[in-house]
Protein backbone atom coordinates (compact mmCIF):
# COMPACT_ATOMS: atom_id res chain seq x y z
CA UNK A 1 0.00 0.00 0.00
CA UNK A 2 1.07 3.56 -0.65
CA UNK A 3 2.40 5.45 2.40
CA UNK A 4 0.04 8.31 3.35
CA UNK A 5 2.75 10.94 2.87
CA UNK A 6 3.29 9.78 -0.74
CA UNK A 7 -0.33 10.34 -1.74
CA UNK A 8 -0.91 13.49 -3.75
CA UNK A 9 -4.31 15.10 -4.17
CA UNK A 10 -6.11 14.82 -7.49
CA UNK A 11 -7.48 17.79 -9.38
CA UNK A 12 -11.19 17.72 -10.25
CA UNK A 13 -10.83 19.55 -13.57
CA UNK A 14 -7.87 17.42 -14.62
CA UNK A 15 -9.80 14.21 -13.93
CA UNK A 16 -12.83 15.58 -15.77
CA UNK A 17 -10.65 16.28 -18.81
CA UNK A 18 -9.08 12.83 -18.61
CA UNK A 19 -12.51 11.21 -18.41
CA UNK A 20 -13.47 12.92 -21.67
CA UNK A 21 -10.30 11.51 -23.24
CA UNK A 22 -11.11 8.00 -21.95
CA UNK A 23 -14.59 8.16 -23.42
CA UNK A 24 -13.22 9.51 -26.69
CA UNK A 25 -10.78 6.59 -26.79
CA UNK A 26 -13.65 4.16 -26.25
CA UNK A 27 -15.55 5.71 -29.15
CA UNK A 28 -12.45 5.73 -31.37
CA UNK A 29 -12.05 1.99 -30.75
CA UNK A 30 -15.61 1.40 -31.92
CA UNK A 31 -17.26 1.15 -28.53
CA UNK A 32 -20.32 2.85 -27.11
CA UNK A 33 -19.07 5.16 -24.38
CA UNK A 34 -22.55 5.30 -22.88
CA UNK A 35 -22.78 1.53 -22.45
CA UNK A 36 -19.23 0.55 -21.46
CA UNK A 37 -18.72 1.00 -17.72
CA UNK A 38 -15.69 3.01 -16.67
CA UNK A 39 -14.48 1.56 -13.38
CA UNK A 40 -12.45 4.20 -11.56
CA UNK A 41 -9.47 2.44 -9.98
CA UNK A 42 -8.46 4.49 -6.95
CA UNK A 43 -5.79 2.11 -5.64
CA UNK A 44 -2.87 4.15 -4.33
CA UNK A 45 -4.75 7.43 -4.48
CA UNK A 46 -6.39 9.24 -1.60
CA UNK A 47 -10.03 9.25 -0.66
CA UNK A 48 -10.38 12.51 -2.62
CA UNK A 49 -10.01 10.48 -5.84
CA UNK A 50 -13.11 8.51 -4.88
CA UNK A 51 -15.05 11.70 -4.24
CA UNK A 52 -13.96 13.24 -7.55
CA UNK A 53 -15.02 10.08 -9.38
CA UNK A 54 -18.42 10.25 -7.73
CA UNK A 55 -18.76 13.93 -8.56
CA UNK A 56 -18.14 13.07 -12.21
CA UNK A 57 -20.78 10.35 -12.23
CA UNK A 58 -18.42 7.36 -11.91
CA UNK A 59 -20.17 5.36 -9.23
CA UNK A 60 -18.23 2.12 -9.85
CA UNK A 61 -14.92 2.28 -7.97
CA UNK A 62 -12.21 -0.38 -7.90
CA UNK A 63 -9.72 -1.27 -5.16
CA UNK A 64 -7.07 -4.00 -4.96
CA UNK A 65 -6.27 -4.16 -1.25
CA UNK A 66 -8.76 -5.10 1.45
CA UNK A 67 -7.46 -2.68 4.09
CA UNK A 68 -7.29 0.25 1.68
CA UNK A 69 -10.84 -0.46 0.51
CA UNK A 70 -12.14 -0.77 4.08
CA UNK A 71 -10.49 2.51 5.09
CA UNK A 72 -11.86 4.42 2.11
CA UNK A 73 -15.33 2.95 2.48
CA UNK A 74 -15.41 4.14 6.08
CA UNK A 75 -14.35 7.66 5.10
CA UNK A 76 -16.59 8.03 2.04
CA UNK A 77 -19.73 6.39 3.35
CA UNK A 78 -22.62 5.74 0.99
CA UNK A 79 -22.19 6.41 -2.71
CA UNK A 80 -19.63 4.18 -4.41
CA UNK A 81 -20.29 0.73 -5.78
CA UNK A 82 -17.09 -0.91 -4.62
CA UNK A 83 -15.47 -3.52 -6.86
CA UNK A 84 -12.67 -5.67 -5.48
CA UNK A 85 -10.25 -6.21 -8.36
CA UNK A 86 -7.01 -7.45 -6.77
CA UNK A 87 -5.75 -10.86 -5.78
CA UNK A 88 -7.63 -11.78 -2.66
CA UNK A 89 -6.78 -14.11 0.18
CA UNK A 90 -9.79 -15.99 1.49
CA UNK A 91 -9.11 -14.76 5.03
CA UNK A 92 -9.54 -11.14 3.88
CA UNK A 93 -13.07 -11.62 2.56
CA UNK A 94 -14.71 -11.12 5.93
CA UNK A 95 -13.12 -7.68 6.42
CA UNK A 96 -14.77 -6.17 3.33
CA UNK A 97 -17.81 -8.40 2.82
CA UNK A 98 -20.18 -5.69 4.00
CA UNK A 99 -18.96 -3.07 1.51
CA UNK A 100 -17.97 -4.90 -1.70
CA UNK A 101 -20.65 -4.71 -4.40
CA UNK A 102 -18.84 -6.93 -6.91
CA UNK A 103 -15.94 -9.35 -6.46
CA UNK A 104 -14.00 -9.30 -9.74
CA UNK A 105 -11.00 -11.50 -8.99
CA UNK A 106 -12.69 -14.79 -8.15
CA UNK A 107 -10.34 -17.51 -9.38
CA UNK A 108 -10.62 -20.59 -7.15
CA UNK A 109 -13.19 -22.69 -5.31
CA UNK A 110 -11.95 -21.83 -1.83
CA UNK A 111 -12.51 -18.14 -2.54
CA UNK A 112 -15.97 -18.85 -3.94
CA UNK A 113 -16.79 -20.80 -0.78
CA UNK A 114 -15.70 -17.96 1.49
CA UNK A 115 -17.57 -15.27 -0.46
CA UNK A 116 -20.72 -17.40 -0.46
CA UNK A 117 -20.34 -17.80 3.32
CA UNK A 118 -19.63 -14.14 4.12
CA UNK A 119 -21.69 -12.43 1.40
CA UNK A 120 -24.54 -14.73 0.29
CA UNK A 121 -25.86 -13.94 -3.19
CA UNK A 122 -22.95 -11.61 -3.97
CA UNK A 123 -22.18 -10.44 -7.48
CA UNK A 124 -18.97 -11.97 -8.79
CA UNK A 125 -16.83 -12.12 -11.90
CA UNK A 126 -14.62 -15.12 -12.54
CA UNK A 127 -11.08 -14.05 -13.33
CA UNK A 128 -9.45 -15.91 -16.22
CA UNK A 129 -5.70 -16.19 -16.72
CA UNK A 130 -5.95 -16.40 -20.49
CA UNK A 131 -2.23 -15.80 -21.04
CA UNK A 132 -1.04 -18.60 -18.78
CA UNK A 133 1.40 -16.35 -16.91
CA UNK A 134 2.30 -18.10 -13.63
CA UNK A 135 2.66 -14.86 -11.65
CA UNK A 136 -0.82 -13.68 -12.59
CA UNK A 137 -4.09 -14.37 -10.80
CA UNK A 138 -6.99 -16.06 -12.51
CA UNK A 139 -8.08 -19.60 -13.19
CA UNK A 140 -7.08 -21.53 -16.30
CA UNK A 141 -9.51 -21.28 -19.22
CA UNK A 142 -10.27 -24.98 -18.86
CA UNK A 143 -11.44 -24.40 -15.28
CA UNK A 144 -13.80 -21.50 -15.97
CA UNK A 145 -17.01 -23.42 -16.59
CA UNK A 146 -16.55 -25.55 -13.49
CA UNK A 147 -15.85 -22.51 -11.32
CA UNK A 148 -18.84 -20.64 -12.73
CA UNK A 149 -21.08 -23.64 -12.06
CA UNK A 150 -19.69 -23.98 -8.53
CA UNK A 151 -20.37 -20.32 -7.76
CA UNK A 152 -23.89 -20.48 -9.16
CA UNK A 153 -24.52 -23.63 -7.19
CA UNK A 154 -23.67 -21.76 -3.99
CA UNK A 155 -26.09 -18.99 -4.85
CA UNK A 156 -23.66 -16.36 -6.08
CA UNK A 157 -24.66 -14.07 -8.94
CA UNK A 158 -22.02 -14.73 -11.61
CA UNK A 159 -22.32 -11.71 -13.89
CA UNK A 160 -19.36 -12.33 -16.17
CA UNK A 161 -15.64 -12.82 -16.60
CA UNK A 162 -12.60 -10.67 -15.92
CA UNK A 163 -9.08 -10.82 -17.32
CA UNK A 164 -5.84 -8.87 -17.44
CA UNK A 165 -3.78 -8.25 -20.57
CA UNK A 166 -0.13 -9.14 -21.11
CA UNK A 167 2.22 -6.28 -20.32
CA UNK A 168 4.35 -5.38 -23.31
CA UNK A 169 2.73 -7.86 -25.72
CA UNK A 170 -0.14 -6.33 -27.68
CA UNK A 171 -0.78 -9.44 -29.79
CA UNK A 172 -1.02 -11.72 -26.75
CA UNK A 173 -3.29 -9.21 -25.05
CA UNK A 174 -5.64 -9.13 -28.03
CA UNK A 175 -5.77 -12.94 -28.11
CA UNK A 176 -6.51 -13.09 -24.39
CA UNK A 177 -9.30 -10.53 -24.63
CA UNK A 178 -10.94 -12.24 -27.58
CA UNK A 179 -10.71 -15.65 -25.92
CA UNK A 180 -12.35 -14.40 -22.73
CA UNK A 181 -15.07 -12.55 -24.64
CA UNK A 182 -15.80 -15.76 -26.54
CA UNK A 183 -15.99 -17.71 -23.30
CA UNK A 184 -18.43 -15.17 -21.86
CA UNK A 185 -20.57 -15.57 -24.96
CA UNK A 186 -20.51 -19.36 -24.67
CA UNK A 187 -21.53 -19.18 -21.01
CA UNK A 188 -24.15 -16.52 -21.73
CA UNK A 189 -22.54 -14.10 -19.28
CA UNK A 190 -23.09 -10.40 -19.89
CA UNK A 191 -20.10 -8.69 -18.24
CA UNK A 192 -16.58 -8.77 -19.69
CA UNK A 193 -14.25 -6.74 -17.45
CA UNK A 194 -11.30 -6.37 -19.79
CA UNK A 195 -8.87 -3.56 -20.39
CA UNK A 196 -6.98 -1.02 -18.35
CA UNK A 197 -5.39 2.33 -19.09
CA UNK A 198 -2.72 0.86 -21.37
CA UNK A 199 -4.79 -1.58 -23.42
CA UNK A 200 -8.21 0.05 -23.49
CA UNK A 201 -8.61 0.04 -27.28
CA UNK A 202 -7.84 -3.66 -27.68
CA UNK A 203 -10.32 -4.50 -24.95
CA UNK A 204 -13.10 -2.43 -26.47
CA UNK A 205 -12.49 -3.96 -29.89
CA UNK A 206 -12.71 -7.43 -28.35
CA UNK A 207 -16.06 -6.70 -26.74
CA UNK A 208 -15.31 -5.40 -23.25
CA UNK A 209 -18.29 -4.09 -21.29
CA UNK A 210 -16.18 -2.66 -18.46
CA UNK A 211 -12.73 -1.07 -18.44
CA UNK A 212 -10.68 -0.59 -15.27
CA UNK A 213 -8.79 2.70 -15.41
CA UNK A 214 -6.63 4.39 -12.81
CA UNK A 215 -3.74 6.36 -14.26
CA UNK A 216 -5.78 7.33 -17.34
CA UNK A 217 -8.12 9.17 -14.98
CA UNK A 218 -5.98 10.29 -12.06
CA UNK A 219 -2.49 10.51 -13.53
CA UNK A 220 0.57 8.50 -12.50
CA UNK A 221 -0.02 6.40 -9.43
CA UNK A 222 2.07 7.43 -6.39
CA UNK A 223 5.16 5.34 -5.77
CA UNK A 224 4.49 2.50 -3.34
Amino acid sequence: MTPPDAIRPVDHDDVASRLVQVRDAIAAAGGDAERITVLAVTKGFGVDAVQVALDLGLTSVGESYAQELADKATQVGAGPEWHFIGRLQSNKVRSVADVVSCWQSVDRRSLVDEIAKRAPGARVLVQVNASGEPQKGGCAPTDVRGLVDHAIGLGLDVEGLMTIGVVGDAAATERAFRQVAGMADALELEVRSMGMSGDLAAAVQAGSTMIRVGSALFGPRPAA
Side-chain angles (χ1 to χ4, degrees), residues 53-135:
L54 293 174
D55 290 346
L56 294 172
L58 300 177
T59 57
S60 297
V61 179
E63 285 288 339
S64 297
Y65 302 110
Q67 188 59 58
E68 187 172 353
L69 190 159
D71 291 345
K72 287 177 179 174
T74 297
Q75 295 177 66
V76 175
E81 178 184 86
W82 294 104
H83 289 236
F84 197 92
I85 61 175
R87 298 187 76 170
L88 182 61
Q89 296 176 335
S90 296
N91 63 5
K92 297 291 186 180
V93 170
R94 183 176 185 178
S95 66
V96 289
D98 291 341
V99 294
V100 171
S101 296
C102 182
W103 308 80
Q104 288 211 24
S105 50
V106 176
D107 61 359
R108 60 195 185 278
R109 287 183 175 238
S110 61
L111 184 55
V112 167
D113 295 346
E114 187 66 14
I115 293 172
K117 176 182 177 181
R118 302 295 181 183
R123 297 161 52 205
V124 302
L125 305 183
V126 167
Q127 182 178 353
V128 187
N129 186 345
S131 60
E133 297 169 273
Q135 77 280 12

Side-chain angles (χ1 to χ4, degrees), residues 2-20:
T2 306
D5 58 0
I7 297 175
R8 59 171 178 77
V10 300
D11 180 80
H12 180 283
D13 292 343
D14 179 58
V15 178
S17 177
R18 288 173 176 273
L19 178 57
V20 171

